[in-house]
Amino acid sequence: LIGVLMLPALYLLAKQLFKRRSLAAFSMAAFSLDLMHFTQTRIATIDSFPVFFILLSYWFMVRYMQTDVFALEENEQPTLLSRAFWKSLIPLAWSGLMMGLSIASKWIGIYSAVGLAVLYFTAVYRQYRAGNVAFSVATDGSDDSLSSGDVKRVKNAQDHTLNRIFITCGFCVLFFILVPCIVYYLSYIPYLAPNGKVTITRVIQAQIGMLDYHSTPGLGMDHPFQSPWWQWPFILK
């Protein structure tokens, strides 16, 4: 089921990136013919689940990057907490939730979180640059090429860009740290509840146990079926 759901997830991500249904459909078709995807999901390996949630987390992050946070509705005056700003937080919240689900499925979600951070701070830098450029635009009526709507947008960027960035970063602490931690903690209820109370101490002990497993010769990173990443494209094992 997850293998099937990964196809529309990739379609949505490709559609968000390319803005063309043909390229999104081609990407989804290519993914559906990938034998690694077919094999992993057909036998329901755990890797299928984090990849599914990673795809969705990146889709929502790309949606945020393409959101116009400086937009103002027709009768809306420049304000710090504009409607466009509140709407921009929605894809960020969903991206954080999907990231939490991916990490709760498998630790590879942590690696994908690094990429999400890069994309987010790229978006923040672009907003910061837009705010700086706005200060070079005259809003006193001397520029006849600017409509009244354009003037409001420029003032919106001049007055509120930096504060919006700080507020958004504050929300991201909630979306990308607190929420994933809660999701990760809750994911241990089915595992720990049959043997006692689910506590933070027991969850931490479970992490230590996993790390010890992977560091034990013959079990973790050096088990007989292991192969380093650079061998994968050549199928050397």
Side-chain angles (χ1 to χ4, degrees):
L1 179 61
I2 286 294
V4 173
L5 292 176
M6 286 165 70
L7 299 180
L10 185 71
Y11 176 89
L12 291 172
L13 176 59
K15 179 71 159 42
Q16 197 71 40
L17 288 171
F18 301 125
K19 305 298 183 183
R20 289 179 56 183
R21 291 182 179 179
S22 58
L23 290 178
F26 175 80
S27 301
M28 182 180 67
F31 191 34
S32 69
L33 298 175
D34 185 276
L35 295 182
M36 176 67 78
H37 168 252
F38 176 75
T39 303
Q40 292 269 35
T41 58
R42 182 171 65 90
I43 62 177
T45 63
I46 189 62
D47 303 82
S48 310
F49 298 92
V51 171
F52 171 68
F53 293 122
I54 287 170
L55 285 172
L56 291 178
S57 68
Y58 273 80
W59 173 47
F60 285 117
M61 182 56 72
V62 173
R63 285 181 65 88
Y64 170 74
M65 295 184 72
Q66 296 179 356
T67 299
D68 183 5
V69 297
F70 302 105
L72 290 171
E73 296 185 5
E74 185 175 354
N75 298 321
E76 187 179 11
Q77 295 301 316
T79 179
L80 175 62
L81 304 179
S82 63
R83 294 185 182 92
F85 171 73
W86 286 116
K87 289 180 180 178
S88 71
L89 297 178
I90 296 175
L92 276 180
W94 280 105
S95 181
L97 177 61
M98 294 299 110
M99 187 193 85
L101 290 170
S102 70
I103 296 174
S105 300
K106 195 173 181 180
W107 282 354
I108 61 172
I110 298 175
Y111 307 142
S112 73
V114 177
L116 290 175
V118 171
L119 294 181
Y120 169 72
F121 285 110
T122 299
V124 167
Y125 175 73
R126 289 167 58 187
Q127 293 173 23
Y128 174 75
R129 287 280 298 155
N132 283 346
V133 171
F135 282 103
S136 64
V137 180
T139 58
D140 56 2
S142 58
D143 190 346
D144 297 334
S145 63
L146 295 179
S147 65
S148 59
D150 294 333
V151 172
K152 287 199 303 182
R153 278 178 58 87
V154 172
K155 287 184 177 179
N156 194 22
Q158 290 176 346
D159 298 338
H160 305 300
T161 296
L162 204 55
N163 289 332
R164 279 208 194 103
I165 289 175
F166 288 135
I167 294 174
T168 304
C169 289
F171 273 104
C172 283
V173 173
L174 170 66
F175 298 152
F176 292 96
I177 297 179
L178 184 60
V179 169
C181 286
I182 293 174
V183 171
Y184 195 84
Y185 175 82
L186 295 177
S187 70
Y188 272 85
I189 292 178
Y191 178 65
L192 297 176
N195 299 317
K197 292 184 178 180
V198 182
T199 63
I200 294 178
T201 300
R202 294 188 68 197
V203 172
I204 293 175
Q205 289 174 346
Q207 314 311 303
I208 296 173
M210 284 190 287
L211 287 171
D212 289 342
Y213 170 83
H214 283 290
S215 60
T216 301
L219 291 180
M221 296 303 294
D222 59 345
H223 61 76
F225 305 103
Q226 182 267 349
S227 64
W229 65 268
W230 56 268
Q231 291 184 359
W232 302 347
F234 306 103
I235 320 178
L236 297 183
K237 173 164 272 187

